[in-house]
PDB file of all heavy atoms in Angstrom:
ATOM      1  N   GLY A  15       9.183   5.833  18.814  1.00  0.00           N
ATOM      2  CA  GLY A  15       8.938   4.518  18.365  1.00  0.00           C
ATOM      3  C   GLY A  15       7.630   4.250  17.635  1.00  0.00           C
ATOM      4  O   GLY A  15       7.509   3.399  16.808  1.00  0.00           O
ATOM      5  N   LEU A  16       6.656   5.089  17.984  1.00  0.00           N
ATOM      6  CA  LEU A  16       5.325   4.831  17.391  1.00  0.00           C
ATOM      7  C   LEU A  16       5.246   5.214  15.905  1.00  0.00           C
ATOM      8  O   LEU A  16       4.671   4.559  15.144  1.00  0.00           O
ATOM      9  CB  LEU A  16       4.212   5.642  18.239  1.00  0.00           C
ATOM     10  CG  LEU A  16       2.765   5.444  17.735  1.00  0.00           C
ATOM     11  CD1 LEU A  16       2.353   4.013  17.724  1.00  0.00           C
ATOM     12  CD2 LEU A  16       1.811   6.218  18.629  1.00  0.00           C
ATOM     13  N   ASP A  17       5.892   6.356  15.618  1.00  0.00           N
ATOM     14  CA  ASP A  17       5.843   6.791  14.218  1.00  0.00           C
ATOM     15  C   ASP A  17       6.595   5.772  13.312  1.00  0.00           C
ATOM     16  O   ASP A  17       6.228   5.639  12.126  1.00  0.00           O
ATOM     17  CB  ASP A  17       6.515   8.151  14.099  1.00  0.00           C
ATOM     18  CG  ASP A  17       5.595   9.244  14.714  1.00  0.00           C
ATOM     19  OD1 ASP A  17       4.381   9.049  14.602  1.00  0.00           O
ATOM     20  OD2 ASP A  17       6.089  10.262  15.181  1.00  0.00           O
ATOM     21  N   ALA A  18       7.685   5.106  13.862  1.00  0.00           N
ATOM     22  CA  ALA A  18       8.351   4.099  13.080  1.00  0.00           C
ATOM     23  C   ALA A  18       7.497   2.935  12.751  1.00  0.00           C
ATOM     24  O   ALA A  18       7.401   2.453  11.648  1.00  0.00           O
ATOM     25  CB  ALA A  18       9.578   3.664  13.846  1.00  0.00           C
ATOM     26  N   VAL A  19       6.633   2.510  13.772  1.00  0.00           N
ATOM     27  CA  VAL A  19       5.702   1.441  13.612  1.00  0.00           C
ATOM     28  C   VAL A  19       4.601   1.858  12.571  1.00  0.00           C
ATOM     29  O   VAL A  19       4.107   1.003  11.843  1.00  0.00           O
ATOM     30  CB  VAL A  19       5.085   1.075  14.924  1.00  0.00           C
ATOM     31  CG1 VAL A  19       3.865   0.235  14.814  1.00  0.00           C
ATOM     32  CG2 VAL A  19       6.115   0.329  15.820  1.00  0.00           C
ATOM     33  N   LEU A  20       4.266   3.161  12.583  1.00  0.00           N
ATOM     34  CA  LEU A  20       3.219   3.639  11.687  1.00  0.00           C
ATOM     35  C   LEU A  20       3.854   4.119  10.348  1.00  0.00           C
ATOM     36  O   LEU A  20       3.267   4.820   9.590  1.00  0.00           O
ATOM     37  CB  LEU A  20       2.529   4.807  12.366  1.00  0.00           C
ATOM     38  CG  LEU A  20       1.588   4.431  13.526  1.00  0.00           C
ATOM     39  CD1 LEU A  20       1.293   5.685  14.312  1.00  0.00           C
ATOM     40  CD2 LEU A  20       0.333   3.832  12.995  1.00  0.00           C
ATOM     41  N   MET A  21       5.085   3.777  10.110  1.00  0.00           N
ATOM     42  CA  MET A  21       5.726   4.078   8.849  1.00  0.00           C
ATOM     43  C   MET A  21       5.813   5.633   8.617  1.00  0.00           C
ATOM     44  O   MET A  21       5.611   6.059   7.554  1.00  0.00           O
ATOM     45  CB  MET A  21       5.069   3.399   7.664  1.00  0.00           C
ATOM     46  CG  MET A  21       4.916   1.937   7.766  1.00  0.00           C
ATOM     47  SD  MET A  21       6.505   1.101   7.641  1.00  0.00           S
ATOM     48  CE  MET A  21       5.998  -0.537   7.232  1.00  0.00           C
ATOM     49  N   GLY A  22       5.961   6.349   9.678  1.00  0.00           N
ATOM     50  CA  GLY A  22       6.113   7.788   9.582  1.00  0.00           C
ATOM     51  C   GLY A  22       5.040   8.617  10.235  1.00  0.00           C
ATOM     52  O   GLY A  22       5.291   9.716  10.615  1.00  0.00           O
ATOM     53  N   GLY A  23       3.849   8.027  10.401  1.00  0.00           N
ATOM     54  CA  GLY A  23       2.843   8.781  11.081  1.00  0.00           C
ATOM     55  C   GLY A  23       1.481   8.338  10.659  1.00  0.00           C
ATOM     56  O   GLY A  23       1.348   7.234  10.050  1.00  0.00           O
ATOM     57  N   ILE A  24       0.473   9.123  10.881  1.00  0.00           N
ATOM     58  CA  ILE A  24      -0.878   8.745  10.593  1.00  0.00           C
ATOM     59  C   ILE A  24      -1.463   9.749   9.589  1.00  0.00           C
ATOM     60  O   ILE A  24      -1.296  10.953   9.686  1.00  0.00           O
ATOM     61  CB  ILE A  24      -1.769   8.789  11.855  1.00  0.00           C
ATOM     62  CG1 ILE A  24      -1.247   7.753  12.893  1.00  0.00           C
ATOM     63  CG2 ILE A  24      -3.233   8.484  11.583  1.00  0.00           C
ATOM     64  CD1 ILE A  24      -1.841   7.938  14.313  1.00  0.00           C
ATOM     65  N   PRO A  25      -2.223   9.250   8.497  1.00  0.00           N
ATOM     66  CA  PRO A  25      -2.742  10.193   7.535  1.00  0.00           C
ATOM     67  C   PRO A  25      -3.596  11.251   8.235  1.00  0.00           C
ATOM     68  O   PRO A  25      -4.383  10.985   9.166  1.00  0.00           O
ATOM     69  CB  PRO A  25      -3.637   9.288   6.702  1.00  0.00           C
ATOM     70  CG  PRO A  25      -2.945   7.930   6.760  1.00  0.00           C
ATOM     71  CD  PRO A  25      -2.399   7.845   8.119  1.00  0.00           C
TER      72      PRO A  25
END
Side-chain angles (χ1 to χ4, degrees):
Chain A
L16 182 56
D17 290 328
V19 164
L20 290 161
M21 307 288 197
I24 298 168

